[in-house]
Structure formats: C-alpha cells, structure tokens
Amino acid sequence: DTEVTQTPKHLVMGMTNKKSLKCEQHMGHRAMYWYKQKAKKPPELMFVYSYEKLSINESVPSRFSPECPNSSLLNLHLHALQPEDSALYLCASSQGINSNQPQHFGDGTRLSIL
Amino acid sequence: EDQVTQSPEALRLQEGESSSLNCSYTVSGLRGLFWYRQDPGKGPEFLFTLYSAGEEKEKERLKATLTKKESFLHITAPKPEDSATYLCAVQGPYEAGTALIFGKGTTLSVSS
C-alpha cells in the first residue's frame, strides 16, 4: 500500500468545470510534488512545494492552480481544462527538496477531459 | 544537457529467464539514482536508491548496480508478477534543485 494517498482515483470533467485533486501523506515529508504523466511516457514535473511554500512552477498553464494547506496535504485546482490535459496526475513527497532521499508517489488520479 | 536513456524499450522473457535492464546517464554531480516499478494505472513504486559507483542493492529477484555512467537492474529467475514498466531517474547536484530526470522506461513482460 502506498503511503501517499490521492483522491479521486478517476475524474471525468467538461472543459468548463472546476474540480480539485487531493493528495495526503503522513510520512513527515516536507517536500511535495505534482507530476503529469501521459500514456507510455515518464512523469513530467509540474509543481514543487517546500515547507508549504511553492518552490518550483515548471511553466504550467494557469488553469492548473496548486495549493498546500498544511505539511500533509496538497491540492491541485483545475479550471477550464483542455482535452490535451487528460492524463494521470501523480502526487509525490520526499524528506526535503535538498535531500537525496527518494520521492514516494501516490497511485494518481486518472483525469479525462470531455 | 543532463540525460537518462533506458534500454531496451521493451523486453519479453520466459519465466525463469534472467536478464538485465540498462540505464545510461549523463549528469554532472550525481546526487542519487533511483529505480521505480510502475504497474498500469498505478503510480511509480520506489525500488532502490544508489548513490555512488560500485554500490549494489538487492530485493528479492532484483539487484541494482551503479557505475559512473550507467546502472543495471538485474532480474534473476523472473516471474509473471515481475511484469511492469521499470523507470530509472537521476537527481543532479544541489544547485540544480530537486527535479528528477526520468528515462522513458523499460516495459518488461514475463510469460509463464
């Protein structure tokens, strides 16, 4: 069982909808990440939070809005998405952004945009 | 430019037929090399971290090794449940930040 929990597991939404993806970890990690993964491709980094502050934004469109309410939770707010945004969205956590310890991933949210 | 190249892209084995997956990397100041296993529709599952050339890690039928230019994931007497995509990722020096550079993965199929 993964120690990073993501909800929902599946999400279908229209291009005008607003929805949120949620991620929770209880490993005491201080760095949390959002990745996007398309079929048969490796994960692509979107955002990094360090001690609940946004550290890295990899030029992600503003229709994706991350939020880190506390050290255990990470949200990704979605609005006005495009069909090409359909993908597996993965959350990960690690001890810290300056650590060389591994990132641990959740099982992702499979997002489909109609 | 930092790069990670995995080969082969796909590998089909018979149960019990041992083999190796390769991960070649070019990165200045390697902080760590990570192996992950990913099943369809799931997130990557952490397997191993390797930090310096000559290091080896083992877990059940898997053994990971590291040189200055590449890493190998050796699979001994694989079983069908070892079928998955295996991802290699490297982390560069501290000044490059926390980002992992992933290879494209090797998809392993083991038939009984």
Side-chain angles (χ1 to χ4, degrees):
Chain A
D1 288 340
T2 180
E3 295 179 86
V4 178
T5 304
Q6 292 188 242
T7 56
K9 292 189 185 305
H10 303 276
L11 180 61
V12 180
M13 57 187 287
M15 289 189 284
T16 58
N17 292 156
K18 286 185 181 181
K19 296 285 185 183
S20 297
L21 309 185
K22 297 185 183 301
C23 174
E24 188 169 5
Q25 59 90 10
H26 293 289
M27 294 181 281
H29 289 169
R30 304 317 299 256
M32 295 186 77
Y33 311 79
W34 280 115
Y35 287 85
K36 173 182 178 180
Q37 187 177 27
K38 301 285 269 185
K40 300 192 184 301
K41 300 284 187 183
E44 297 175 21
L45 184 65
M46 299 174 72
F47 301 105
V48 181
Y49 272 83
S50 175
Y51 288 86
E52 300 151 50
K53 287 185 168 47
L54 185 63
S55 174
I56 294 175
N57 175 341
E58 292 285 356
S59 303
V60 179
S62 59
R63 57 186 183 269
F64 295 91
S65 176
E67 178 195 20
C68 190
N70 60 54
S71 60
S72 299
L73 294 174
L74 188 65
N75 298 322
L76 186 63
H77 303 297
L78 314 173
H79 174 56
L81 295 193
Q82 303 297 309
E84 61 265 27
D85 297 322
S86 298
L88 181 67
Y89 288 84
L90 295 164
C91 173
S93 69
S94 70
Q95 286 189 356
I97 62 171
N98 291 321
S99 165
N100 60 359
Q101 296 300 305
Q103 296 180 19
H104 294 268
F105 288 82
D107 278 338
T109 294
R110 173 71 61 189
L111 177 64
S112 298
I113 307 300
L114 301 177
Chain B
E1 182 184 343
D2 297 340
Q3 280 192 19
V4 177
T5 303
Q6 290 188 247
S7 61
E9 287 186 18
L11 181 62
R12 292 183 180 275
L13 298 174
Q14 291 289 317
E15 185 172 4
E17 180 187 2
S18 301
S19 188
S20 297
L21 282 54
N22 178 262
C23 171
S24 298
Y25 63 90
T26 53
V27 63
S28 54
L30 178 74
R31 238 190 308 170
L33 184 142
F34 307 93
W35 281 100
Y36 290 89
R37 168 194 170 127
Q38 187 171 24
D39 292 301
K42 300 279 191 179
E45 175 190 350
F46 169 70
L47 294 173
F48 303 110
T49 307
L50 301 166
Y51 294 110
S52 56
E55 192 174 359
E56 299 182 352
K57 295 272 179 76
E58 279 190 76
K59 179 181 178 181
E60 296 180 356
R61 294 177 293 281
L62 301 177
K63 179 179 177 181
T65 62
L66 181 65
T67 72
K68 288 187 178 180
K69 294 184 178 181
E70 57 191 351
S71 176
F72 291 94
L73 185 65
H74 306 280
I75 303 177
T76 302
K79 297 183 177 182
E81 53 262 42
D82 295 322
S83 298
T85 295
Y86 290 86
L87 293 167
C88 171
V90 300
Q91 191 176 40
Y94 287 104
E95 52 269 24
T98 188
L100 291 177
I101 304 166
F102 280 92
K104 293 183 178 180
T106 293
T107 299
L108 174 66
S109 300
V110 182
S111 53
S112 56

